[in-house]
């Protein structure tokens, strides 16, 4: 009898074997592709529009990316204006009603995260400041946990037949993640207060979470390339207020940080920034494991 029921369910397509993913997911950045994979397992087929070696503010929407956007059931992006340079065009050109702003098939991580560095009218004049606050929110692992809750619910909304599985996978993920965060916070405790120079404010959430102290930025203004004059000034600042290290993301040019680090006689440390940004950053756990290792290595 049991067999017969199972058989007829399969014939009706109600208990389809897991050969085909239920949802086709396209993410704007690798961190959200990795999170969707954690929460969806074999229920989702995931790809990312950008890699860890690309600047997520600026990419070109190539035809192959448009084709993926056309097929997607769910588009997962950071939001908070990170992708304003390319995402609206991608959504417009994709001809896919499911992934338009306001539709269930468009998910913005920033809506579920704690956002820092919201600009005031005064500092809006200080360069290319992100008006919605700092969008590089995934480098605070507490934000990853918040976004995971929102994302698991959205996956279940889009694929209600598997709703319980997304909820269960999220519960498992949250358990592992909380344990890992406790470990990272313990490891990172001795970095608290460490003075650092950063390339761009894409490390602000990491800095905020670990309690590092930023005493300078390689960019003269957010989003502007480092200049010789600004770097020379920064070197002067470091004579009075030494930093422990110069930090940059894997996708940023090493030139400016190498210049400053060699003259200030401190290490220049490349951080993976997102999944795929270093050999160790294979997934979200690896991203933070490797980031912590590199910071501790630079500040023994
Ligand atoms: Zn930015």
């Amino acid at each position: 009898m049991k067999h017969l029921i199972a058989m007829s369910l399969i014939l009706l397509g109600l208990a389809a074997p897991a050969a085909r993913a239920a949802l086709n997911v396209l993410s704007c950045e690798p961190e959200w592709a990795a999170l969707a994979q954690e929460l969806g397992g074999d229920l989702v087929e995931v790809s990312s529009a950008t890699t860890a070696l690309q600047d997520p503010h600026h990419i070109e929407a190539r035809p192959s990316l448009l084709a993926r956007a056309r097929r997607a059931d769910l588009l997962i992006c950071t939001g908070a204006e990170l992708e304003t340079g390319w995402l609206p065009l991608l959504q417009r050109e994709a001809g896919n009603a499911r992934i338009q702003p306001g539709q269930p098939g468009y998910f913005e991580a920033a809506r579920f995260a704690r956002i820092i560095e919201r600009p005031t009218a005064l500092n809006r004049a200080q360069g290319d400041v992100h008006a919605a606050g700092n969008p590089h929110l995934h480098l605070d692992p507490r934000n990853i946990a918040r976004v995971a809750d929102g994302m698991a619910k959205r996956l279940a909304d889009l694929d209600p037949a598997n709703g319980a599985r997304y909820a269960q996978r999220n519960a498992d993920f949250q358990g592992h993640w909380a344990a890992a965060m406790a470990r990272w916070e313990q490891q990172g405790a001795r970095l608290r207060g460490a003075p650092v120079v950063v390339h761009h404010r894409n490390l602000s959430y990491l800095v905020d979470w670990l309690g590092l102290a930023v005493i300078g930025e390689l960019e003269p203004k957010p989003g502007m390339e480092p200049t010789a004059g600004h770097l020379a000034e920064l070197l002067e600042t470091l004579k009075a207020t030494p930093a422990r290290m110069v930090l940059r993301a894997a996708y940023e040019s090493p030139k400016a940080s190498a210049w400053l680090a060699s003259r200030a006689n401190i290490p220049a440390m490349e951080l993976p920034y997102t999944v795929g940004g270093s050999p160790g950053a294979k997934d979200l756990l690896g991203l933070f494991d490797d980031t912590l290792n590199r910071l501790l290595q630079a500040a023994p």
Side-chain angles (χ1 to χ4, degrees):
M1 186 62 190
K2 250 187 183 164
H3 257 93
L4 266 177
I5 291 172
M7 270 300 280
S8 44
L9 284 176
I10 288 170
L11 288 174
L12 287 167
L14 293 174
R20 254 194 70 211
L23 291 175
N24 189 322
V25 179
L26 175 64
S27 76
C28 284
E29 290 84 25
E31 60 271 23
W32 306 132
L35 186 57
Q37 195 65 68
E38 296 277 358
L39 301 176
D42 59 7
L43 297 172
V44 294
E45 193 182 301
V46 185
S47 76
S48 174
T50 59
T51 73
L53 301 182
Q54 286 177 300
D55 179 345
H57 304 88
H58 312 284
I59 65 152
E60 215 181 304
R62 295 178 179 280
S64 60
L65 177 56
L66 269 176
R68 282 190 280 158
R70 196 162 293 138
R71 287 193 305 268
D73 300 304
L74 174 60
L75 175 63
I76 299 175
C77 297
T78 296
E81 302 185 2
L82 178 64
E83 304 100 347
T84 45
W86 56 276
L87 181 60
L89 181 75
L90 181 70
Q91 284 172 306
R92 217 165 38 237
E93 300 286 303
N96 177 352
R98 297 186 296 275
I99 59 162
Q100 299 305 314
Q103 295 302 309
Y106 177 56
F107 178 92
E108 276 189 355
R111 297 190 184 277
F112 299 88
R114 188 180 69 93
I115 300 297
I116 61 173
E117 295 176 2
R118 288 188 193 272
T120 62
L122 260 179
N123 59 24
R124 281 302 298 276
Q126 303 286 308
D128 182 21
V129 176
H130 294 295
N134 190 316
H136 304 283
L137 57 97
H138 70 284
L139 282 180
D140 181 338
R142 295 166 298 188
N143 272 343
I144 298 278
R146 294 178 183 117
V147 174
D149 279 336
M151 198 184 291
K153 285 196 189 83
R154 187 65 64 88
L155 290 166
D157 286 347
L158 292 171
D159 178 22
N162 289 308
R165 287 182 64 190
Y166 296 116
Q168 184 56 52
R169 292 190 69 96
N170 183 40
D172 291 347
F173 175 78
Q174 296 286 352
H176 291 139
W177 198 249
M181 274 202 288
R183 187 178 81 237
W184 295 322
E185 283 167 12
Q186 196 178 18
Q187 287 177 320
R190 68 182 173 84
L191 293 165
R192 199 152 277 280
V196 299
V197 172
V198 298
H199 185 116
H200 174 63
R201 293 191 187 166
N202 51 7
L203 302 177
S204 295
Y205 286 86
L206 184 70
V207 160
D208 179 67
W209 170 54
L210 292 174
L212 305 175
V214 173
I215 56 174
E217 296 171 16
L218 299 181
E219 293 177 336
K221 285 179 180 180
M224 276 175 71
E225 285 301 314
T227 60
H230 175 69
L231 291 179
E233 265 175 48
L234 205 50
L235 186 58
E236 280 307 306
T237 308
L238 294 189
K239 283 179 184 156
T241 320
R244 299 268 287 278
M245 55 188 120
V246 184
L247 300 174
R248 70 177 173 86
Y251 72 81
E252 287 159 340
S253 161
K255 263 171 77 178
S257 59
W259 186 92
L260 187 70
S262 68
R263 279 158 187 81
N265 201 24
I266 52 177
M269 187 49 81
E270 176 182 306
L271 298 178
Y273 176 73
T274 185
V275 175
S278 71
K282 286 189 184 66
D283 53 18
L284 288 165
L285 282 169
L287 167 63
F288 284 92
D289 275 335
D290 192 46
T291 299
L292 259 295
N293 281 342
R294 284 166 186 251
L295 290 172
L296 293 169
Q297 192 189 318

